[in-house]
mmCIF file of all heavy atoms in Angstrom:
data_model
loop_
_atom_site.group_PDB
_atom_site.id
_atom_site.type_symbol
_atom_site.label_atom_id
_atom_site.label_comp_id
_atom_site.label_asym_id
_atom_site.label_seq_id
_atom_site.Cartn_x
_atom_site.Cartn_y
_atom_site.Cartn_z
ATOM 1 N N VAL A 853 -5.255 8.562 19.259
ATOM 2 C CA VAL A 853 -6.631 8.977 18.962
ATOM 3 C C VAL A 853 -7.046 10.189 19.792
ATOM 4 O O VAL A 853 -7.549 11.174 19.240
ATOM 5 C CB VAL A 853 -7.611 7.800 19.146
ATOM 6 C CG1 VAL A 853 -9.057 8.285 19.079
ATOM 7 C CG2 VAL A 853 -7.372 6.734 18.083
ATOM 8 N N PRO A 854 -6.843 10.185 21.118
ATOM 9 C CA PRO A 854 -7.200 11.388 21.883
ATOM 10 C C PRO A 854 -6.432 12.624 21.426
ATOM 11 O O PRO A 854 -6.989 13.735 21.406
ATOM 12 C CB PRO A 854 -6.842 11.013 23.324
ATOM 13 C CG PRO A 854 -6.902 9.525 23.353
ATOM 14 C CD PRO A 854 -6.425 9.092 22.013
ATOM 15 N N GLU A 855 -5.153 12.450 21.066
ATOM 16 C CA GLU A 855 -4.392 13.622 20.621
ATOM 17 C C GLU A 855 -4.926 14.137 19.298
ATOM 18 O O GLU A 855 -5.032 15.356 19.086
ATOM 19 C CB GLU A 855 -2.911 13.284 20.489
ATOM 20 C CG GLU A 855 -2.087 14.486 20.045
ATOM 21 C CD GLU A 855 -0.629 14.421 20.455
ATOM 22 O OE1 GLU A 855 -0.221 13.387 21.006
ATOM 23 O OE2 GLU A 855 0.076 15.417 20.237
ATOM 24 N N ALA A 856 -5.279 13.217 18.386
ATOM 25 C CA ALA A 856 -5.865 13.644 17.114
ATOM 26 C C ALA A 856 -7.175 14.385 17.359
ATOM 27 O O ALA A 856 -7.444 15.425 16.742
ATOM 28 C CB ALA A 856 -6.094 12.431 16.208
ATOM 29 N N GLN A 857 -7.989 13.860 18.277
ATOM 30 C CA GLN A 857 -9.256 14.530 18.605
ATOM 31 C C GLN A 857 -9.014 15.932 19.162
ATOM 32 O O GLN A 857 -9.713 16.890 18.803
ATOM 33 C CB GLN A 857 -10.037 13.686 19.609
ATOM 34 C CG GLN A 857 -10.590 12.392 19.032
ATOM 35 C CD GLN A 857 -11.175 11.489 20.091
ATOM 36 O OE1 GLN A 857 -10.680 11.441 21.212
ATOM 37 N NE2 GLN A 857 -12.229 10.746 19.736
ATOM 38 N N ALA A 858 -8.004 16.052 20.035
ATOM 39 C CA ALA A 858 -7.708 17.347 20.639
ATOM 40 C C ALA A 858 -7.223 18.352 19.588
ATOM 41 O O ALA A 858 -7.623 19.530 19.598
ATOM 42 C CB ALA A 858 -6.656 17.188 21.735
ATOM 43 N N LEU A 859 -6.376 17.892 18.657
ATOM 44 C CA LEU A 859 -5.885 18.782 17.609
ATOM 45 C C LEU A 859 -7.029 19.244 16.706
ATOM 46 O O LEU A 859 -7.092 20.413 16.301
ATOM 47 C CB LEU A 859 -4.815 18.067 16.786
ATOM 48 C CG LEU A 859 -3.455 17.864 17.464
ATOM 49 C CD1 LEU A 859 -2.588 16.924 16.647
ATOM 50 C CD2 LEU A 859 -2.749 19.208 17.653
ATOM 51 N N ILE A 860 -7.924 18.318 16.377
ATOM 52 C CA ILE A 860 -9.060 18.674 15.512
ATOM 53 C C ILE A 860 -9.956 19.694 16.202
ATOM 54 O O ILE A 860 -10.403 20.674 15.586
ATOM 55 C CB ILE A 860 -9.858 17.405 15.132
ATOM 56 C CG1 ILE A 860 -9.027 16.528 14.193
ATOM 57 C CG2 ILE A 860 -11.190 17.771 14.477
ATOM 58 C CD1 ILE A 860 -9.610 15.140 13.960
ATOM 59 N N GLU A 861 -10.209 19.502 17.490
ATOM 60 C CA GLU A 861 -11.075 20.433 18.224
ATOM 61 C C GLU A 861 -10.419 21.817 18.324
ATOM 62 O O GLU A 861 -11.093 22.850 18.192
ATOM 63 C CB GLU A 861 -11.373 19.890 19.616
ATOM 64 C CG GLU A 861 -12.342 20.749 20.419
ATOM 65 C CD GLU A 861 -13.657 21.000 19.700
ATOM 66 O OE1 GLU A 861 -14.135 20.074 18.994
ATOM 67 O OE2 GLU A 861 -14.204 22.108 19.840
ATOM 68 N N THR A 862 -9.106 21.840 18.526
ATOM 69 C CA THR A 862 -8.406 23.125 18.564
ATOM 70 C C THR A 862 -8.524 23.841 17.223
ATOM 71 O O THR A 862 -8.752 25.055 17.159
ATOM 72 C CB THR A 862 -6.924 22.909 18.921
ATOM 73 O OG1 THR A 862 -6.826 22.276 20.187
ATOM 74 C CG2 THR A 862 -6.173 24.235 18.952
ATOM 75 N N ALA A 863 -8.373 23.076 16.140
ATOM 76 C CA ALA A 863 -8.495 23.665 14.804
ATOM 77 C C ALA A 863 -9.912 24.172 14.557
ATOM 78 O O ALA A 863 -10.107 25.247 13.969
ATOM 79 C CB ALA A 863 -8.108 22.639 13.750
ATOM 80 N N ARG A 864 -10.909 23.444 15.030
ATOM 81 C CA ARG A 864 -12.300 23.886 14.839
ATOM 82 C C ARG A 864 -12.554 25.225 15.524
ATOM 83 O O ARG A 864 -13.244 26.093 14.992
ATOM 84 C CB ARG A 864 -13.270 22.833 15.368
ATOM 85 C CG ARG A 864 -13.341 21.549 14.555
ATOM 86 C CD ARG A 864 -14.513 20.701 14.987
ATOM 87 N NE ARG A 864 -15.772 21.291 14.530
ATOM 88 C CZ ARG A 864 -16.960 20.933 14.971
ATOM 89 N NH1 ARG A 864 -17.065 20.025 15.940
ATOM 90 N NH2 ARG A 864 -18.055 21.503 14.491
#
Side-chain angles (χ1 to χ4, degrees):
V853 170
E855 181 155 5
Q857 290 171 325
L859 287 169
I860 291 169
E861 184 55 36
T862 301
R864 290 192 73 194

